[in-house]
């Protein structure tokens, strides 16, 4: 019977538990600056370095909740990095869009698959390293200590 006080208490308790879990996840997923403040989930840093110092590389990175913003990598700024805590479900995803003169590329720089290669076994300080080269994008596998080419530059559909 829907009006049974015991049944209503169970529904209320389940509702409260769901709200608490949603609040916890929201707080973790929106943690753009890594502080190591006891939040659930391991801490990661995504680091993107350009090996093309004489050309501007425009980068825009974001997740569902956090916009890292637009950045230009060039001879005066060869690196972009940010730190965060993985959400409670381990589904944190960051993706970036890259542009240069006549080419562009868009892909995930951190997702549910990649975190395995970035996990150094620490609570904090797990790195996901990317390097931009003239011929494409390279990812560093911490466990095998090797760089592997993951993506090629794609020709731009238009010239701005």
């Amino acid at each position: 019977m829907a009006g049974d006080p015991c049944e209503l208490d169970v529904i209320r308790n389940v509702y409260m538990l769901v709200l608490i879990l949603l609040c916890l996840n929201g707080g973790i997923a929106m943690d753009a600056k890594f502080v190591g403040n006891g939040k659930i989930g391991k801490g990661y840093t995504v680091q993107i370095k350009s090996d093309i110092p004489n050309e501007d590389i425009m980068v825009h990175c974001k997740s569902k909740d956090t916009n890292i913003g637009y950045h230009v990598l060039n001879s005066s700024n060869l690196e972009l990095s940010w730190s965060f805590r993985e959400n409670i479900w381990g589904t944190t995803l960051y993706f970036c869009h890259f542009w240069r003169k006549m080419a562009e590329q868009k892909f995930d720089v951190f997702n549910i698959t990649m975190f395995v290669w970035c996990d150094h076994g620490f609570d904090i300080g797990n790195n996901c390293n990317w390097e931009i080269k003239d011929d494409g994008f390279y990812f560093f596998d911490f466990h095998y200590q090797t760089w592997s080419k993951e993506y090629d530059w794609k020709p731009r559909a238009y010239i701005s």
Side-chain angles (χ1 to χ4, degrees):
M1 177 173 187
D4 183 4
C6 289
E7 186 177 324
L8 290 175
D9 282 342
V10 168
I11 292 171
R12 188 177 300 120
N13 289 339
V14 168
Y15 178 72
M16 290 303 290
L17 179 62
V18 168
L19 277 176
I20 289 168
L21 288 173
L22 287 173
C23 288
L24 280 173
N25 182 51
I28 295 164
M30 294 191 308
D31 187 9
K33 298 292 181 207
F34 172 72
V35 255
N37 56 3
K39 291 191 176 189
I40 299 170
K42 286 189 171 191
Y44 292 91
T45 298
V46 171
Q47 184 175 48
I48 301 168
K49 289 185 178 180
S50 175
D51 192 31
I52 312 172
N54 299 322
E55 185 178 335
D56 287 350
I57 308 294
M58 179 71 111
V59 183
H60 181 219
C61 299
K62 62 190 281 186
S63 72
K64 180 179 131 189
D65 301 310
T66 305
N67 189 345
I68 304 303
Y70 288 88
H71 299 269
V72 178
L73 302 180
N74 55 30
S75 56
S76 61
N77 180 32
L78 292 173
E79 182 181 314
L80 169 64
S81 66
W82 68 94
S83 299
F84 57 93
R85 286 254 185 201
E86 179 181 40
N87 68 28
I88 197 168
W89 290 283
T91 58
T92 300
L93 176 122
Y94 279 93
F95 59 93
C96 296
H97 194 159
F98 302 86
W99 299 268
R100 65 189 286 204
K101 289 179 186 173
M102 299 288 288
E104 67 181 312
Q105 183 59 273
K106 192 183 323 183
F107 58 87
D108 294 351
V109 294
F110 183 90
N111 63 31
I112 196 167
T113 305
M114 291 173 190
F115 85 88
V116 173
W117 297 302
C118 304
D119 190 340
H120 302 248
F122 307 123
D123 180 47
I124 60 173
N126 299 292
N127 295 322
C128 287
N129 296 312
W130 289 91
E131 190 161 313
I132 305 169
K133 294 185 177 277
D134 232 1
D135 68 336
F137 298 84
Y138 290 78
F139 182 74
F140 186 73
D141 184 330
F142 170 75
H143 299 286
Y144 291 105
Q145 296 290 301
T146 60
W147 288 93
S148 62
K149 186 175 181 184
E150 298 293 321
Y151 302 99
D152 288 319
W153 284 100
K154 293 180 181 176
R156 289 184 68 175
Y158 59 91
I159 301 171
S160 53

